[in-house]
C-alpha cells in the first residue's frame, strides 16, 4: 500500500501503492492513483477506501524491535528470552532500566497517535462528504473501531492519554493542538463507548481482515476485562467482572465464531481468516509487507546451515505450564511427570508449540545438550553469540517453507489480534471472578482443552482453583501471541514473575544417558511495582507538549 503524505496545500500524494498497509486480497481491488486532489479523494469511494486501507495497514503486528517477530513481546515476559544483547527486551526492559529516553519495542506512543490522526482525518472528511450514506455509515464505524483499538494499546500501556477526535493543525491552531492527558477512567470510557456506539453499524461477517461486529464487541470486552483486573480495580468491584463476562457472552451468542479444529495449523497461511479469527493483520509474502517469522524465531542451525536468527528462547517457566497428556499439571503427584524424561507424554500444545532437545525440525534432530558440539548448544554465559540461552525455540506458527534466515519477508500468515479461544477463556475468567466456577465457566474452558485432546477439568473446583487453571490455559494457549505481558500487567503478577532470573533445562550426558537439571539463565530481572506497571511517556513527546505529565517515578535519564 502507498504511504500517504498529506500536503498542507490540500494535495494527497500516494507514494507507494499498498506497501505495508493492506490485505493482498480484499484491499487490492482499489485502483491506484499517482496523485489525487483533496477534493477528489473525499468524493470518490475508491480513493477514500484506499485511505482507510492505509489505516488498516498501519496496525502494528507483533511487538518487535527493529523487525517484525525479532524481539517480540513475550521476550519482555517470563515466557521467553532474547539471546542477543542488543534486543530491547534484554538491554532495556528486563534489567529494569526503561526511561523516557530509552528505545523499546513496547513503546507505542508516537506510532499510535500517528494512527489516531489518520483516523481523525478520515472520519472528519467522510462525515462532511456527499458519498453514499450506507457506505459512509459502515466505513465510519470501521475507522472509529480502529481509532478505539489504537487508543486501547495506549491505555493498557500508559494509562490515561490525551483524547483527540479532531484533526489538529499547527498552522491554524497553534499551541491549541496540545492536549492534557485524560484521566485513566475517562480514557477507558471513551474506548468502550466508541465500541458500543459502532457495534450495530458493523456487519457480523465483514470479510477478510475487516473490522466487524465481533471485533468491536471483543475489543470492548477486552478493555472491560482489563478494567476489572487488579491493576485498575484494587477494590475488586464484582460488577466490573460481570460486565466483561456479559460482553464476551454477546460475542459467543453471535454464533459466528468457533474454534478451528487443528491447533497446530491455526496460524498457518492456508488457514488465514478461519472460523476462529475475529480480527487480524494481513501479510503478503514475497513483498515488503511479508512476514519474517520463519527467519527470526525458530532454531538457528539445521543440518549445519543457519536458517533463522533464533531470537526467541522459551523459558522453563513456560515449558512447565504445559500439562501432561492426562490433563494434570506436572506438579500434580498423579500426573506421571518424570523430571529425567521431561518431554514425554506432555499435552499436544507442547509438541505443536516448542522445538526441544530430541525433537525433529526440518528433518533433523534438535540438539541443545551441553557437550554435543552442536551450534545450537546452550550458552549459559549469556553471550551475544546467537547461541540459545535456553534449550527451546518456538515451533508455533512456524511454516517450514519460510525458514530462510533473517528478514526474508516470505510469510503470508496473518497476525491474529483477537480469536475465539480468547473470548472463551476471557469469559471464563470474568465469569469465575463474578460468580464463581459455574457450569458456563467449565464449558468455556473445557472447549479450549478439548480441541487439544485434554480431558475436562474436575468438577467441584473452588474459585481459586479455577482461577489458577484459567491462568495456565491462557498462558499456554496464547504463548507467542503478545498476550502474556498484558496479563502480567493487568493481574499485577509482574512484580512477582518478572523480579527473578528465568530458568532453562541444562542437559548433560553421564555414561551415555542424558541428565536434566533446571538452572537459572538470562541474568537478573528487575520490575519496580512503583513505576513499571505503566510505561514512561517518551521525553520527546513531553518536550513538544508541556501539558503532558510523566507517569510516576520515571526520571529523564
Amino acid at each position: 500500500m502507498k504511504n500517504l503524505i498529506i500536503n498542507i496545500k490540500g494535495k494527497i500524494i500516494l507514494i507507494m501503492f499498498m506497501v505495508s498497509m493492506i490485505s493482498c486480497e480484499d484491499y487490492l481491488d482499489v485502483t491506484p492513483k499517482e496523485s489525487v486532489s483533496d477534493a477528489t479523494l473525499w468524493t470518490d469511494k475508491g480513493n477514500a477506501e484506499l485511505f482507510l486501507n492505509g489505516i488498516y495497514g498501519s496496525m502494528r503486528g507483533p511487538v518487535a524491535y527493529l523487525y517484525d517477530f525479532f524481539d517480540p513481546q513475550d521476550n519482555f515476559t517470563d515466557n521467553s528470552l532474547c539471546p542477543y544483547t542488543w534486543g530491547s527486551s534484554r538491554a532495556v526492559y528486563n534489567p529494569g532500566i526503561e526511561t523516557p529516553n530509552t528505545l523499546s519495542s513496547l513503546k507505542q506512543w508516537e506510532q499510535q497517535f500517528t494512527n489516531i490522526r489518520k483516523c481523525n482525518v478520515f472520519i472528519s472528511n467522510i462525515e462532511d462528504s456527499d458519498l453514499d450514506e450506507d457506505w459512509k455509515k459502515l466505513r465510519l464505524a470501521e475507522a472509529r473501531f480502529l481509532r478505539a483499538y489504537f487508543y486501547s494499546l495506549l491505555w493498557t500501556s500508559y494509562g490515561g492519554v490525551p483524547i483527540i477526535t479532531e484533526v489538529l493543525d499547527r498552522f491554524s491552531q497553534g499551541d491549541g493542538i496540545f492536549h492534557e492527558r485524560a484521566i485513566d477512567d475517562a480514557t477507558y470510557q471513551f474506548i468502550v463507548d466508541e465500541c458500543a456506539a459502532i457495534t450495530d453499524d458493523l456487519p457480523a461477517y465483514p470479510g477478510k481482515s475487516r473490522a466487524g461486529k465481533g471485533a468491536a464487541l471483543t475489543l470492548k470486552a477486552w478493555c472491560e476485562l482489563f478494567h476489572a483486573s487488579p491493576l485498575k480495580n484494587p477494590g475488586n468491584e464484582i460488577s466490573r467482572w460481570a460486565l466483561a463476562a456479559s460482553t464476551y457472552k454477546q460475542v459467543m451468542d453471535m454464533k459466528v465464531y468457533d474454534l478451528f479444529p487443528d491447533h497446530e495449523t491455526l496460524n498457518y497461511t492456508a488457514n488465514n481468516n478461519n472460523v476462529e479469527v475475529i480480527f487480524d493483520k494481513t501479510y503478503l509474502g514475497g513483498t515488503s509487507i511479508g512476514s519474517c517469522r520463519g527467519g527470526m524465531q525458530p532454531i538457528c542451525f539445521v543440518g549445519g546451515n543457519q536458517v533463522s536468527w533464533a531470537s526467541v528462547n522459551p523459558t522453563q517457566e513456560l515449558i512447565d505450564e504445559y500439562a501432561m497428556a492426562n490433563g494434570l499439571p506436572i506438579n500434580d503427584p498423579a500426573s506421571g511427570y518424570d523430571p529425567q524424561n521431561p518431554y514425554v507424554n506432555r499435552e499436544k500444545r507442547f509438541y505443536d508449540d516448542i522445538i526441544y532437545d530430541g525433537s525433529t525440525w526440518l528433518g533433523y534432530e534438535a540438539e541443545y545438550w551441553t557437550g554435543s558440539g552442536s551450534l545450537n548448544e546452550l550458552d549459559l554465559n549469556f553471550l551475544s553469540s546467537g547461541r540459545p540461552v535456553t534449550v527451546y525455540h518456538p515451533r508455533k506458527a512456524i511454516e517450514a517453507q519460510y525458514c530462510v534466515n533473517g528478514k526474508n519477508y516470505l510469510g503470508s500468515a496473518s497476525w491474529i489480534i483477537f480469536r475465539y479461544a480468547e473470548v472463551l477463556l476471557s469469559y471464563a475468567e470474568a465469569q469465575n471472578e463474578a460468580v464463581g466456577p459455574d457450569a458456563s465457566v467449565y464449558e468455556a474452558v473445557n472447549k479450549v482443552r478439548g480441541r487439544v485432546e485434554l480431558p475436562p477439568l474436575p468438577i467441584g473446583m473452588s474459585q481459586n482453583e479455577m482461577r489458577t487453571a484459567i491462568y495456565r490455559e491462557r498462558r499456554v494457549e496464547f504463548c507467542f501471541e503478545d498476550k502474556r505481558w498484558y496479563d502480567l500487567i493487568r493481574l499485577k503478577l509482574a512484580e512477582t514473575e518478572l523480579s527473578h532470573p528465568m530458568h532453562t533445562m541444562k542437559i548433560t550426558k553421564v555414561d551415555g544417558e542424558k541428565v536434566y537439571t533446571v538452572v537459572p539463565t538470562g541474568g537478573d530481572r528487575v520490575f519496580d511495582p512503583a513505576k513499571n506497571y505503566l510505561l514512561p511517556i517518551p521525553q520527546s513527546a513531553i518536550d513538544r507538549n508541556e501539558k503532558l505529565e510523566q507517569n510516576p517515578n520515571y526520571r529523564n535519564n
Side-chain angles (χ1 to χ4, degrees):
M1 172 177 288
K2 293 191 174 183
N3 295 321
L4 304 178
I5 299 178
I6 302 178
N7 187 301
I8 63 172
K9 294 182 179 180
K11 297 287 186 177
I12 293 182
I13 305 171
L14 307 180
I15 302 297
M16 296 173 59
F17 182 65
M18 301 302 197
V19 175
S20 81
M21 293 189 179
I22 62 172
S23 161
C24 57
E25 296 179 31
D26 284 356
Y27 302 159
L28 286 175
D29 59 359
V30 179
T31 304
K33 308 290 194 300
E34 288 306 317
S35 180
V36 184
S37 73
D38 208 19
T40 302
L41 178 64
W42 308 117
T43 58
D44 181 89
K45 285 197 294 188
N47 290 329
E49 290 264 13
L50 187 60
F51 192 100
L52 180 61
N53 292 341
I55 303 174
Y56 274 103
S58 64
M59 291 190 308
R60 194 170 190 174
V63 170
Y65 183 63
L66 297 180
Y67 313 109
D68 272 4
F69 299 102
F70 168 69
D71 190 20
Q73 196 180 77
D74 272 30
N75 282 1
F76 294 74
T77 76
D78 51 353
N79 274 1
S80 58
L81 295 167
C82 180
Y84 296 96
T85 57
W86 46 277
S88 64
S89 64
R90 178 171 166 181
V92 176
Y93 188 79
N94 293 349
I97 59 175
E98 189 98 58
T99 76
N101 281 318
T102 52
L103 297 176
S104 167
S105 305
L106 291 179
K107 293 182 177 178
Q108 304 185 55
W109 186 276
E110 303 287 355
Q111 179 185 12
Q112 302 313 334
F113 272 112
T114 297
N115 291 338
I116 288 165
R117 185 183 192 280
K118 294 177 183 177
C119 293
N120 290 340
V121 168
F122 181 86
I123 291 167
S124 175
N125 283 283
I126 294 303
E127 284 179 338
D128 293 339
S129 76
D130 294 324
L131 294 170
D132 174 77
E133 289 300 320
D134 288 341
W135 181 91
K136 286 171 60 173
K137 183 178 180 180
L138 173 61
R139 299 311 184 209
L140 284 170
E142 289 182 54
R144 290 174 69 182
F145 166 83
L146 290 168
R147 184 174 64 185
Y149 172 66
F150 299 140
Y151 267 115
S152 77
L153 296 175
L154 293 168
W155 173 65
T156 52
S157 298
Y158 298 97
V161 299
I163 304 296
I164 302 168
T165 59
E166 61 179 326
V167 179
L168 302 180
D169 181 359
R170 182 65 182 270
F171 295 97
S172 62
Q173 294 173 280
D175 288 346
I177 66 171
F178 298 120
H179 290 236
E180 296 178 344
R181 297 175 66 177
I183 63 172
D184 190 281
D185 274 355
T187 306
Y188 156 76
Q189 199 62 51
F190 172 78
I191 298 166
V192 296
D193 285 350
E194 282 290 282
C195 291
I198 62 174
T199 294
D200 290 338
D201 292 342
L202 292 168
Y205 299 92
K208 296 181 177 66
S209 301
R210 287 281 190 183
K213 181 176 183 178
L217 285 172
T218 304
L219 175 59
K220 181 175 182 285
W222 161 239
C223 291
E224 289 166 349
L225 185 73
F226 203 105
H227 192 243
S229 300
L231 180 69
K232 306 289 188 182
N233 188 20
N236 196 30
E237 295 178 27
I238 299 301
S239 60
R240 295 191 185 188
W241 293 107
L243 179 62
S246 175
T247 306
Y248 277 120
K249 188 64 163 59
Q250 290 182 61
V251 182
M252 297 159 67
D253 289 344
M254 288 178 66
K255 307 297 184 184
V256 170
Y257 309 104
D258 202 350
L259 296 182
F260 184 73
D262 184 9
H263 173 269
E264 181 180 8
T265 63
L266 165 68
N267 292 282
Y268 284 9
T269 304
N271 297 320
N272 280 347
N273 307 114
N274 64 66
V275 69
E276 187 165 344
V277 177
I278 298 172
F279 189 59
D280 62 0
K281 175 182 171 63
T282 298
Y283 287 86
L284 179 58
T287 76
S288 60
I289 57 171
S291 164
C292 303
R293 192 170 200 160
M296 290 288 174
Q297 294 188 0
I299 194 168
C300 192
F301 292 95
V302 176
N305 298 312
Q306 185 173 358
V307 298
S308 168
W309 283 11
S311 62
V312 178
N313 288 156
T315 62
Q316 195 64 40
E317 280 77 3
L318 172 62
I319 300 305
D320 288 350
E321 292 284 7
Y322 286 89
M324 299 297 287
N326 60 16
L328 297 176
I330 66 169
N331 60 357
D332 189 313
S335 70
Y337 177 70
D338 180 356
Q340 292 306 310
N341 288 287
Y343 311 135
V344 176
N345 294 328
R346 301 298 288 270
E347 63 163 287
K348 182 180 185 297
R349 286 177 295 196
F350 173 74
Y351 303 109
D352 290 348
D353 294 352
I354 304 295
I355 300 171
Y356 58 93
D357 187 79
S359 64
T360 300
W361 181 244
L362 301 182
Y364 291 84
E365 180 179 335
E367 290 188 303
Y368 296 96
W369 60 276
T370 300
S372 66
S374 166
L375 293 171
N376 300 308
E377 187 176 326
L378 176 67
D379 178 12
L380 284 176
N381 292 320
F382 209 36
L383 300 175
S384 182
S385 62
R387 278 172 48 194
V389 296
T390 75
V391 293
Y392 311 104
H393 284 97
R395 187 189 196 106
K396 183 178 186 176
I398 307 295
E399 299 181 73
Q401 65 269 35
Y402 303 130
C403 288
V404 177
N405 186 44
K407 309 185 295 292
N408 60 48
Y409 301 107
L410 293 176
S412 295
S414 297
W415 173 254
I416 300 175
I417 296 170
F418 294 129
R419 60 185 177 97
Y420 191 58
E422 183 178 358
V423 170
L424 292 173
L425 291 181
S426 296
Y427 168 79
E429 179 185 345
Q431 183 73 354
N432 183 58
E433 297 298 335
V435 303
D438 66 9
S440 71
V441 173
Y442 276 94
E443 183 179 0
V445 178
N446 286 337
K447 187 174 178 68
V448 176
R449 289 169 62 88
R451 171 172 51 187
V452 290
E453 302 167 14
L454 288 176
L457 292 173
I459 298 298
M461 297 175 74
S462 68
Q463 183 185 53
N464 189 57
E465 288 171 335
M466 179 60 78
R467 182 185 296 123
T468 299
I470 291 169
Y471 288 178
R472 190 195 73 81
E473 288 295 330
R474 284 187 68 91
R475 186 174 184 182
V476 170
E477 180 68 26
F478 305 125
C479 70
F480 317 133
E481 295 186 35
D482 279 11
K483 303 294 183 182
R484 178 65 176 170
W485 185 79
Y486 292 106
D487 283 351
L488 290 173
I489 294 298
R490 70 181 177 86
L491 296 171
K492 296 202 73 176
L493 297 174
E495 60 198 77
T496 301
E497 305 302 329
L498 302 184
S499 291
H500 58 77
M502 298 297 112
H503 294 81
T504 185
M505 195 72 79
K506 182 179 180 180
I507 307 169
T508 57
K509 277 192 175 181
V510 178
D511 297 331
E513 296 293 324
K514 288 182 179 178
V515 177
Y516 298 83
T517 307
V518 176
V519 297
T521 188
D524 291 334
R525 298 285 292 267
V526 177
F527 186 93
D528 182 355
K531 65 177 181 179
N532 291 145
Y533 280 111
L534 295 174
L535 295 178
I537 296 173
Q539 188 60 40
S540 58
I542 292 177
D543 290 342
R544 290 193 303 270
N545 179 7
E546 62 182 18
K547 293 181 180 180
L548 290 178
E549 182 179 346
Q550 183 58 268
N551 278 326
N553 300 314
Y554 282 104
R555 294 185 299 171
N556 181 19
N557 54 22

